[in-house]
Amino acid sequence: MPDSLPPDSVGLVTPRTLHFSEPLPLACGQSLPEYDLVIETYGELNAEASNAVLICHALSGHHHAAGFHDMSDRKPGWWDSCIGPGKPIDTNHFYVVSLNNLGGCHGSTGPTSTNPATGKCYGPDFPVITVKDWVSSQAALADRLGIQCWAAVVGGSLGGMQALQWSLTFPDRLRHAVVIASTPRLTAQNIAFNEVARQAITSDPEFYEGRYQEHNATPRHGLTLARMVGHITYLSDASMGEKFGRDMREQAYKFGYDAEFQVESYLRYQGERFSESFDANTYLLMTKALDYFDPAYDADNNLAAALSQAQCEFLVLSFSTDWRFTPARSEELVKAMIAARRKVSYAEIDAPWGHDAFLIPTPRYIDAFSAYMKRVAREVGA
Amino acid sequence: MPDSLPPDSVGLVTPRTLHFSEPLPLACGQSLPEYDLVIETYGELNAEASNAVLICHALSGHHHAAGFHDMSDRKPGWWDSCIGPGKPIDTNHFYVVSLNNLGGCHGSTGPTSTNPATGKCYGPDFPVITVKDWVSSQAALADRLGIQCWAAVVGGSLGGMQALQWSLTFPDRLRHAVVIASTPRLTAQNIAFNEVARQAITSDPEFYEGRYQEHNATPRHGLTLARMVGHITYLSDASMGEKFGRDMREQAYKFGYDAEFQVESYLRYQGERFSESFDANTYLLMTKALDYFDPAYDADNNLAAALSQAQCEFLVLSFSTDWRFTPARSEELVKAMIAARRKVSYAEIDAPWGHDAFLIPTPRYIDAFSAYMKRVAREVGA
């Protein structure tokens, strides 16, 4: 490994694309005739194929969870803080599989892919994908990789919903589900913020009812706004205050409508950068997957009854200042698990970073996560 | 009074427009050569002119705070819950003055008014107005009405900022300042939400750099989005949950991008209705006035030092679930008042309605507010 990569990094990694030609039936009633999934793997699968860990990503995530693609990369994968030798998801013990979900815009089949039925890109015709559908496609991926049972399925936020859904759809195909900074279902406020993001995108005249690619256009302003709103909900009031406070860009008030405070230009910049690389239809799709997720829905709104199907053990982690998916939502989930007599470990981590805390390696978080995953490793003989 | 108006209503009221031909110097360095203020009054000014109460409005408010304009009105003024005979601001005792602030879009001079220098509407050329400027214009209004000293200046949210500013700019012209659901300055998160609203408006192609009137256009989508974001921050997660939960518009999921949940269509409807009646440049101006308000700024960020100029007594009220201007922000203000040896009464009201609680007549709120105002009435012999 080149000298300049950190010693606890998985190092240089190369994504690969797997093609699936078996149709995938979807919750919406349609089915995908064929599809690609882009994946990365870190560590080695053992002879018994018992040490595999699946990483599920959140709204804007992708397959590149750890390591570097190129020596010139300025940043590693999005969850490099938790995946690597000696890290909570320890690649000395685990074979880690990370994918870009269906409907994504980082190489897996999604709205920007070519629709085989028309020869044109799917755009808005790409079907709405749910968390259940992702889990089905991830099961096809497990089959392809020769993994009958995951040592653990792990995810934060929307990723945590996928880990939870795995325990319900394929109860005998995972030993542990790790559900971090997540929720058993969105609140009205969560849905409301998603709806603002969707309206921002769809009311942009460059959206063209989702056919912006055919018009050589991008709903850049709408996507920027959607990301700005999202970004605010990922941070806590306190962490924004700590980072920006009322710091100004210049010394004196300008009494105009340009960005006056640092927090304004930061948000604009983040939003604009995001809008240059992310697909608007994918953003819509991801927010809908969040809205629809509701495992209790099929069990007469009884979450404990829904969870009684699960066989795996659970680790649930929440963060004190997360106001997107508050600790109260995790506790609701944990209570239902206990009522369903499932084995569950729970910790609320005191961290100032809001929802984004699940990406930040604070010591108590890393300790709790590592201790649990060490036990998983021992169990599977990894 | 007609039979069908409630007995505790101020009844039918008629706004009037006052013209001010003395120029008003503004914080931004410009000055307004002349201006109109639209006002309503309720109750009677006593012979000593000692019983006058000024009502200051918040972001989307106006002069019509109480009573009805017409027997066919479906709703009374925006603060009818607190103004009227027997209500906290009791019109049996007080002469109540309510105005539309400068820069507004309900009749007072603002971006939609004609610029006397050009003969065209001001639009984006209307100067940025600050809370200090509003207080200056309100002092001119007091002069015109023959009110040397207000019994109280009262406001919620951005209105509370004006009450606070009165105590600093004209310490001997008010006896009491009532600061409800407000804050001594915005946090980074508050500014960030305002910036999202501004970007939504200014990135709407119908905005035309603020000259939409000249183009016979309205940045309707941008204003709708701005209001939707604002609306979410006015409610609590709990009250949205109580009101909407995950209630759907139809029985089964549609797996599309139309509004699926009640909360989505409610927000869209509220946003669209707002966008039909509110001026976009005014919205920008109001959010900037919020951002700029920071009385500690001129006193080396020492709020107590700033408050030492004040001579009035204060009532500060906050609401437990207000996450826009949390009780902690009110407590920060109260602590600084105590450090400055000012007289202050404070109550945090337990109410589930978020920031909007200041408009809702919950018993504990009404009791605390009424008790304080009764004392004010006794003091001024009203």
Side-chain angles (χ1 to χ4, degrees):
Chain A
M1 194 187 303
D3 277 6
S4 59
L5 290 178
D8 62 351
S9 169
V10 299
L12 286 174
V13 293
T14 307
R16 58 192 163 118
T17 301
L18 306 180
H19 184 73
F20 295 80
S21 46
E22 195 75 5
L24 186 78
L26 301 170
C28 65
Q30 296 182 51
S31 89
L32 272 184
E34 53 178 329
Y35 56 96
D36 288 340
L37 292 177
V38 179
I39 69 165
E40 287 184 8
T41 65
Y42 323 114
E44 299 295 329
L45 188 63
N46 63 12
E48 305 79 27
S50 66
N51 70 333
V53 171
L54 176 67
I55 307 295
C56 303
H57 70 72
L59 201 155
S60 61
H62 44 65
H63 53 284
H64 184 38
F68 298 82
H69 284 163
D70 191 283
M71 289 301 292
S72 65
D73 287 355
R74 285 182 311 156
K75 282 185 175 180
W78 60 268
W79 217 11
D80 199 81
S81 57
C82 291
I83 303 167
K87 293 177 183 173
I89 302 169
D90 190 337
T91 48
N92 291 327
H93 301 293
F94 292 115
Y95 174 65
V96 180
V97 178
S98 175
L99 79 158
N100 183 215
N101 272 329
L102 274 182
C105 55
H106 290 87
S108 292
T109 300
T112 59
S113 308
T114 301
N115 181 348
T118 64
K120 289 200 273 187
C121 84
Y122 275 106
D125 301 329
F126 195 81
V128 168
I129 303 284
T130 66
V131 170
K132 281 182 191 169
D133 299 327
W134 282 331
V135 167
S136 302
S137 67
Q138 291 159 0
L141 171 63
D143 292 342
R144 175 72 60 86
L145 298 173
I147 297 160
Q148 176 48 37
C149 182
W150 299 102
V153 178
V154 182
S157 193
L158 177 55
M161 294 176 176
Q162 295 160 57
L164 190 57
Q165 189 62 51
W166 261 95
S167 76
L168 306 179
T169 309
F170 300 106
D172 58 349
R173 295 198 68 177
L174 74 167
R175 287 174 161 271
H176 296 267
V178 180
V179 179
I180 306 175
S182 193
T183 176
R185 58 184 185 180
L186 296 200
T187 63
Q189 189 189 71
N190 295 147
I191 295 171
F193 276 122
N194 280 346
E195 174 62 6
V196 168
R198 285 190 291 264
Q199 287 291 313
I201 290 168
T202 58
S203 70
D204 187 322
E206 303 291 304
F207 182 65
Y208 291 106
E209 297 189 312
R211 304 200 186 280
Y212 44 87
Q213 275 185 294
E214 295 174 36
H215 289 80
N216 262 325
T218 316
R220 197 169 55 80
H221 288 305
L223 205 46
T224 297
L225 280 171
R227 181 60 167 185
M228 287 172 74
V229 174
H231 205 101
I232 298 173
T233 69
Y234 303 151
L235 305 177
S236 68
D237 186 24
S239 65
M240 286 189 102
E242 181 77 26
K243 194 165 180 177
F244 304 106
R246 295 178 55 89
D247 294 349
M248 296 194 293
R249 299 185 67 212
E250 292 172 27
Q251 277 225 299
Y253 287 149
K254 288 177 296 177
F255 297 106
Y257 294 104
D258 284 342
E260 184 87 90
F261 297 96
Q262 294 290 359
V263 65
E264 296 173 85
S265 42
Y266 169 82
L267 269 188
R268 281 190 201 178
Y269 174 77
Q270 293 292 332
E272 283 166 11
R273 223 179 50 167
F274 183 79
S275 75
E276 287 157 13
S277 63
F278 206 86
D279 178 59
N281 284 318
T282 289
Y283 201 91
L284 296 179
L285 181 149
M286 295 282 167
T287 62
K288 273 290 178 181
L290 279 161
D291 285 6
Y292 282 129
F293 181 71
D294 186 5
Y297 184 71
D298 300 327
D300 280 334
N301 282 317
N302 184 333
L303 185 58
L307 285 164
S308 63
Q309 305 162 63
Q311 296 171 21
C312 69
E313 284 187 47
F314 293 95
L315 172 63
V316 178
L317 295 174
S318 70
F319 298 93
S320 55
T321 58
D322 183 351
W323 63 279
R324 184 176 172 85
F325 300 149
T326 62
R329 297 281 82 75
S330 284
E331 284 157 27
E332 194 182 317
L333 178 60
V334 168
K335 276 182 193 147
M337 287 169 174
I338 292 169
R341 300 178 170 275
R342 300 305 95 188
K343 285 190 184 166
V344 54
S345 304
Y346 173 61
E348 177 187 326
I349 309 289
D350 199 17
W353 316 110
H355 188 59
D356 266 0
F358 86 87
L359 299 167
I360 296 166
T362 42
R364 288 198 54 215
Y365 170 40
I366 296 299
D367 288 352
F369 195 1
S370 293
Y372 191 89
M373 293 306 292
K374 279 200 171 74
R375 181 157 75 78
V376 176
R378 280 196 302 273
E379 253 181 51
V380 300
Chain B
M1 194 184 303
D3 275 7
S4 60
L5 290 177
D8 61 351
S9 168
V10 299
L12 286 175
V13 293
T14 307
R16 55 189 165 125
T17 301
L18 305 180
H19 183 73
F20 296 81
S21 46
E22 195 75 5
L24 186 78
L26 302 170
C28 67
Q30 296 182 53
S31 88
L32 272 184
E34 52 178 330
Y35 56 96
D36 288 339
L37 293 178
V38 179
I39 69 165
E40 287 183 8
T41 64
Y42 324 114
E44 300 295 330
L45 188 63
N46 62 14
E48 304 80 27
S50 66
N51 70 333
V53 171
L54 177 67
I55 307 295
C56 303
H57 71 72
L59 200 155
S60 61
H62 43 66
H63 53 284
H64 185 38
F68 298 83
H69 283 163
D70 191 283
M71 288 302 292
S72 65
D73 287 356
R74 284 182 312 155
K75 282 184 174 181
W78 59 268
W79 217 10
D80 198 81
S81 56
C82 291
I83 303 167
K87 293 178 183 175
I89 302 169
D90 190 338
T91 47
N92 291 328
H93 301 291
F94 293 114
Y95 174 65
V96 180
V97 178
S98 175
L99 79 158
N100 183 213
N101 273 328
L102 273 183
C105 54
H106 290 88
S108 292
T109 299
T112 59
S113 307
T114 301
N115 181 346
T118 65
K120 288 201 273 187
C121 85
Y122 276 106
D125 300 329
F126 196 82
V128 168
I129 303 285
T130 66
V131 170
K132 281 182 192 170
D133 299 328
W134 282 330
V135 168
S136 302
S137 67
Q138 291 159 1
L141 171 63
D143 293 342
R144 176 72 60 88
L145 298 173
I147 296 159
Q148 174 50 35
C149 182
W150 299 101
V153 178
V154 181
S157 192
L158 176 55
M161 294 176 176
Q162 294 159 58
L164 190 57
Q165 188 64 51
W166 260 96
S167 75
L168 306 179
T169 308
F170 300 107
D172 58 349
R173 295 198 68 179
L174 73 168
R175 288 174 162 271
H176 296 268
V178 179
V179 179
I180 305 176
S182 193
T183 176
R185 58 184 184 181
L186 296 201
T187 63
Q189 189 190 71
N190 295 147
I191 296 171
F193 276 121
N194 281 346
E195 174 62 6
V196 168
R198 285 189 292 263
Q199 287 292 311
I201 290 169
T202 58
S203 70
D204 187 322
E206 303 291 305
F207 181 65
Y208 291 106
E209 297 187 312
R211 305 202 184 277
Y212 43 88
Q213 275 186 293
E214 295 174 36
H215 289 80
N216 262 324
T218 317
R220 198 169 54 81
H221 288 306
L223 204 47
T224 298
L225 280 170
R227 182 60 168 185
M228 287 172 74
V229 173
H231 206 101
I232 298 173
T233 69
Y234 303 151
L235 304 177
S236 69
D237 187 22
S239 65
M240 286 188 103
E242 182 76 27
K243 194 164 180 178
F244 305 107
R246 294 176 56 87
D247 293 348
M248 295 194 294
R249 300 185 66 213
E250 293 174 24
Q251 276 226 299
Y253 287 149
K254 288 177 294 177
F255 298 107
Y257 294 105
D258 284 341
E260 184 86 90
F261 296 96
Q262 295 289 1
V263 66
E264 296 173 84
S265 41
Y266 169 81
L267 270 187
R268 280 191 203 178
Y269 175 77
Q270 293 293 332
E272 282 164 13
R273 222 180 50 168
F274 182 79
S275 75
E276 287 156 13
S277 63
F278 207 85
D279 178 59
N281 284 318
T282 289
Y283 201 91
L284 297 178
L285 181 149
M286 295 281 166
T287 63
K288 274 290 177 181
L290 279 161
D291 286 6
Y292 282 129
F293 181 71
D294 186 4
Y297 184 72
D298 299 327
D300 280 334
N301 281 316
N302 184 334
L303 185 58
L307 286 164
S308 63
Q309 304 162 64
Q311 296 172 21
C312 68
E313 284 187 49
F314 294 96
L315 171 65
V316 178
L317 295 174
S318 70
F319 298 92
S320 54
T321 58
D322 183 350
W323 63 278
R324 183 176 172 87
F325 299 149
T326 61
R329 296 282 82 74
S330 284
E331 284 157 26
E332 194 182 316
L333 177 60
V334 169
K335 276 182 193 146
M337 286 169 174
I338 292 169
R341 299 177 171 275
R342 299 305 97 187
K343 284 191 186 167
V344 53
S345 304
Y346 173 61
E348 177 187 327
I349 309 289
D350 200 18
W353 317 110
H355 188 59
D356 266 359
F358 86 88
L359 298 167
I360 296 166
T362 42
R364 287 197 54 214
Y365 169 41
I366 296 300
D367 288 352
F369 195 1
S370 293
Y372 191 89
M373 293 305 294
K374 279 199 171 75
R375 181 157 74 79
V376 176
R378 280 195 301 274
E379 254 182 50
V380 298

